[in-house]
């Protein structure tokens, strides 16, 4: 029944346009399929099934709707965002990006997550970088697939999301008439400086090249692989 509940919630999530609270997804399952799903069961299914992306305050969506795949806490979301950005970000820029992707949280919680996390460092200029062991970086995807496969997917995701972040801030800078950089500390520096700051171990040979689909499918977990055979 657990897998069936997750599949029904996934079917409902395919029809939304932005992250939704789990209670709304449960209500849609009842409306569309005439089935009652307990809130506790729904929260467990959404949290454990990696097809769903956490968006803060009990809200979930799919990757196509904005949130990043894998993280289930604000701390892990910050880590993965900084990792995929490929360049340092100020707190204000990080907050702007996360809200643009549909996340909801308290700003105080974001600042605490940044300040207390042992892997996130604040540079003298106020911009943030993340330094993660390679194995820890792969764990952010919450997948039980083979580590090398997860590593390949992480690099592919980094190419896609990093390009998306750069494009978003470039457009925002133009729209703001040049004032956004001062407000959000978007002086990113050079790519060489970014690569030095964002180093987190040796990548595998087959890295993402940027030629991947905009919304690549996450690597399947063992349970999902068995279900799709």
């Amino acid at each position: 029944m657990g897998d069936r509940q997750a599949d029904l919630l996934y079917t409902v999530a395919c029809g939304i346009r932005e992250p939704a609270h789990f209670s709304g997804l449960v209500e849609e399952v009842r409306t569309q399929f005439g089935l009652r799903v307990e809130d506790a069961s729904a929260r467990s299914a959404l949290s454990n099934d990696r097809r769903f992306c956490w968006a803060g305050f009990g809200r979930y969506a799919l990757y196509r709707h904005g949130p990043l795949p894998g993280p289930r806490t604000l701390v892990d979301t910050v880590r993965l965002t900084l990792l995929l950005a490929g360049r340092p970000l100020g707190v204000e820029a990080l907050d702007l990006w996360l809200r643009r992707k549909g996340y909801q949280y308290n700003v105080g919680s974001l600042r605490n997550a940044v300040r207390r996390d042992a892997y996130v460092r604040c540079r003298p200029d106020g911009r943030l970088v993340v330094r993660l062991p390679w194995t820890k970086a792969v764990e952010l995807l919450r997948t039980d697939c083979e580590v090398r496969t997860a590593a390949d997917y992480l690099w592919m995701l980094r190419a896609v999301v990093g390009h998306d972040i750069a494009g978003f801030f470039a457009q925002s800078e133009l729209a703001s008439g040049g004032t956004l950089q001062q407000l959000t500390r978007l002086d990113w520096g050079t790519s060489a400086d970014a690569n030095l700051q964002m180093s987190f171990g040796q990548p595998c040979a087959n890295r993402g090249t940027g030629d991947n689909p905009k919304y690549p499918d996450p690597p399947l977990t063992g349970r999902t692989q068995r279900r799709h055979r």
Side-chain angles (χ1 to χ4, degrees):
M1 184 62 182
D3 286 351
R4 185 189 181 196
Q5 288 182 352
D7 288 342
L8 291 175
L9 290 166
Y10 177 79
T11 301
V12 169
C14 287
I16 64 177
R17 295 185 177 181
E18 59 185 11
H21 194 266
F22 76 90
S23 61
L25 298 176
V26 167
E27 180 61 24
E28 280 299 311
V29 169
R30 187 191 66 79
T31 301
Q32 295 184 27
F33 303 103
L35 297 175
R36 178 180 176 82
V37 178
E38 297 295 333
D39 286 352
S41 298
R43 298 192 71 163
S44 177
L46 292 167
S47 178
N48 294 326
D49 193 316
R50 67 177 316 278
R51 290 176 295 178
F52 300 100
C53 302
W54 177 85
F57 291 149
R59 299 164 64 252
Y60 291 86
L62 305 179
Y63 176 46
R64 71 187 71 168
H65 302 129
L68 297 174
R72 291 299 189 262
T73 65
L74 186 56
V75 170
D76 282 349
T77 300
V78 168
R79 291 176 181 174
L80 187 57
T81 300
L82 290 174
L83 183 65
L84 298 179
R87 301 191 179 198
L89 291 175
V91 176
E92 295 86 354
L94 180 62
D95 178 52
L96 184 65
W97 167 255
L98 291 177
R99 295 193 183 280
R100 185 249 185 178
K101 302 302 287 184
Y103 288 95
Q104 289 186 3
Y105 50 84
N106 296 320
V107 176
S109 298
L110 176 63
R111 295 187 179 278
N112 286 336
V114 168
R115 183 169 58 250
R116 298 175 180 176
D117 188 14
Y119 294 107
V120 175
R121 306 292 176 84
C122 184
R123 299 177 6 151
D125 60 8
R127 290 177 294 165
L128 305 171
V129 295
V130 62
R131 295 192 178 189
L132 286 174
W134 179 249
T135 54
K136 195 72 175 180
V138 170
E139 287 176 6
L140 292 175
L141 296 177
R142 291 172 55 89
T143 177
D144 63 2
C145 66
E146 197 265 338
V147 172
R148 189 178 183 86
T149 301
D152 286 347
Y153 175 66
L154 183 62
W155 277 103
M156 180 177 68
L157 191 63
R158 189 182 189 191
V160 174
V161 176
H163 182 269
D164 195 13
I165 289 176
F168 167 69
F169 283 127
Q171 292 178 357
S172 300
E173 178 67 17
L174 290 174
S176 69
T179 62
L180 184 67
Q181 180 167 328
Q182 287 72 35
L183 292 175
T184 59
R185 295 178 180 172
L186 294 181
D187 181 15
W188 284 357
T190 65
S191 296
D193 175 59
N195 290 335
L196 174 64
Q197 294 292 337
M198 301 296 289
S199 61
F200 51 87
Q202 294 297 322
C204 56
N206 183 22
R207 298 188 299 177
T209 62
D211 297 325
N212 303 292
K214 186 174 181 180
Y215 300 111
D217 291 329
L220 298 177
T221 63
R223 181 169 66 89
T224 311
Q225 285 177 329
R226 291 191 294 271
R227 197 162 59 206
H228 283 75
R229 286 175 181 171

